[in-house]
Amino acid sequence: VCDVAEDLVEKLRKFRFRKETNNAAIISKLNMIGISPDELKDELPEKTFIVYSYKYQHDDGRVSYPLCFIFSSPVGCKPEQQMMYAGSKNKLVQTAELTKVFEIRNTEDLTEEWLREKLGFFH
């Protein structure tokens, strides 16, 4: 399981309390050390975690800025890599105290409609 760097924790804290009202994202890649070029090509495309601040207009007119953690489980990875990815994801969610955690299988499905539907469960 990868450690969560202190500078990333600080960036996420500042991101959570930012003053801007636009949609914004922090995209963090899961890095492995001690990897050969042959192993590296097995890792493509890179595993990515996204923390997304989304301007959400509620049905009653209120506006909120939920911090969404969006991740995609890598397809075709070895079981050890899948476990490392899952453990690292869980550690980041805990460390950054993220509560709106969404998994997406196909990145083509990542649309505003999909996100609004997921956030609808948190009324």
Side-chain angles (χ1 to χ4, degrees):
V1 175
C2 294
D3 289 326
V4 180
E6 280 302 314
D7 64 329
L8 177 58
V9 173
E10 181 61 20
K11 283 179 187 174
L12 287 169
R13 188 191 66 74
K14 287 179 180 176
F15 189 66
R16 180 184 303 267
F17 298 110
R18 69 192 192 98
K19 302 291 186 225
E20 295 84 12
T21 59
N22 62 327
N23 296 337
I26 290 179
I27 301 170
S28 179
K29 295 176 183 173
L30 180 61
N31 295 318
M32 295 174 64
I33 56 173
I35 187 168
S36 73
D38 287 339
E39 292 168 322
L40 183 59
K41 70 181 172 190
D42 293 337
E43 294 302 312
L44 299 174
E46 294 173 318
K47 300 169 183 67
T48 305
F49 298 128
I50 299 170
V51 179
Y52 189 54
S53 176
Y54 177 68
K55 184 176 182 177
Y56 183 68
Q57 180 96 27
H58 297 265
D59 293 337
D60 62 4
R62 292 177 300 121
V63 175
S64 63
Y65 299 89
L67 209 54
C68 307
F69 182 77
I70 303 169
F71 68 97
S72 175
S73 285
V75 179
C77 284
K78 298 173 186 167
E80 309 85 48
Q81 293 168 331
Q82 285 280 14
M83 289 188 321
M84 184 193 76
Y85 181 80
S88 298
K89 171 197 68 97
N90 291 339
K91 186 165 187 164
L92 180 58
V93 166
Q94 279 183 320
T95 303
E97 299 176 351
L98 299 168
T99 57
K100 294 167 180 66
V101 179
F102 309 123
E103 179 178 15
I104 192 158
R105 290 291 185 176
N106 182 352
T107 55
E108 297 295 318
D109 294 337
L110 182 53
T111 63
E112 189 159 359
E113 181 180 327
W114 175 86
L115 185 57
R116 289 188 60 75
E117 180 183 317
K118 294 293 184 184
L119 288 169
F121 294 114
F122 290 94
H123 284 295

